[in-house]
Amino acid sequence: NDAIEAINYAIDRKKNGVNIRIISASWGSTSKSKALEDTIRAAGEAGILFVAAAGNDGSNNDNRPHYPSNYDLPNVISVAALDRNDQIASFSNFGSKTVHVAAPGKEILSTWLNDGYREASGTSMATPYVSGVGALIIASDPDITMKNLRARILGSADELDSVKSKVATGGR
């Protein structure tokens, strides 16, 4: 319910002139929700890209779906996590059909509580890298459509032999 409310808030702000272009979703579960799927679809119809963490069960999302990353919608990008050696991290979900791209997600230095920092690992750490790439593309091409933004992100993935059979683009 909270996720739907947050996405609807972003859609509403966009309709009221706030230039929201990307939602970075570092959360998920194996529970499918038609209401959540419909809300993410509505975000896409409003021109908002939805970048989602693939999950941290070390499982194949092609066989065991993880949501919201597994919603087959034109505005969703599902992100797996890589380790320092450009290998899919042992905990990361993957899927040659349902996970689109991989990004660094193991031992990532991040801000933390009380003005602190800590290393964290997960597809939740990888997802913001892809969202950030999207933001950089928008900065250089402010009028890019959501469809073209998604295509540019996925089309510019750096192919890696280590992930060719693990994610749809075969790259990071």
Side-chain angles (χ1 to χ4, degrees):
N1 223 17
D2 291 339
I4 291 169
E5 192 174 314
I7 296 164
N8 280 330
Y9 177 82
I11 294 167
D12 183 60
R13 295 294 90 215
K14 172 116 181 167
K15 289 178 180 176
N16 286 294
V18 179
N19 192 20
I20 296 173
R21 306 290 301 278
I22 301 170
I23 293 173
S24 189
S26 289
W27 48 270
S29 77
T30 55
S31 297
K32 186 174 184 175
S33 163
K34 177 78 166 109
L36 179 59
E37 181 179 13
D38 290 346
T39 304
I40 295 168
R41 178 181 291 108
E45 291 166 358
I48 301 171
L49 183 67
F50 193 87
V51 183
N56 301 316
D57 301 312
S59 63
N60 186 337
N61 286 4
D62 294 352
N63 302 325
R64 184 173 179 253
H66 177 272
Y67 299 98
S69 60
N70 262 74
Y71 291 123
D72 186 19
L73 297 170
N75 64 315
V76 172
I77 294 179
S78 177
V79 185
L82 293 172
D83 64 20
R84 293 175 191 256
N85 298 310
D86 280 335
Q87 302 293 315
I88 295 289
S90 61
F91 56 80
S92 180
N93 290 7
F94 56 91
S96 63
K97 296 177 184 151
T98 57
V99 178
H100 303 106
V101 68
K106 186 171 182 191
E107 300 170 337
I108 304 299
L109 186 63
S110 184
T111 55
W112 198 244
L113 302 172
N114 301 316
D115 297 321
Y117 296 90
R118 78 169 209 169
E119 278 188 0
S121 297
T123 57
S124 290
M125 301 306 293
T127 298
Y129 278 98
V130 177
S131 300
V133 167
L136 291 171
I137 292 169
I138 292 167
S140 69
D141 188 357
D143 296 324
I144 193 168
T145 64
M146 185 277 303
K147 179 180 176 183
N148 289 341
L149 174 62
R150 183 179 186 275
R152 188 167 311 165
I153 291 169
L154 298 180
S156 64
D158 189 22
E159 288 187 20
L160 299 171
D161 288 338
S162 61
V163 299
K164 273 192 177 156
S165 64
K166 300 286 187 178
V167 299
T169 61
R172 106 182 134 230

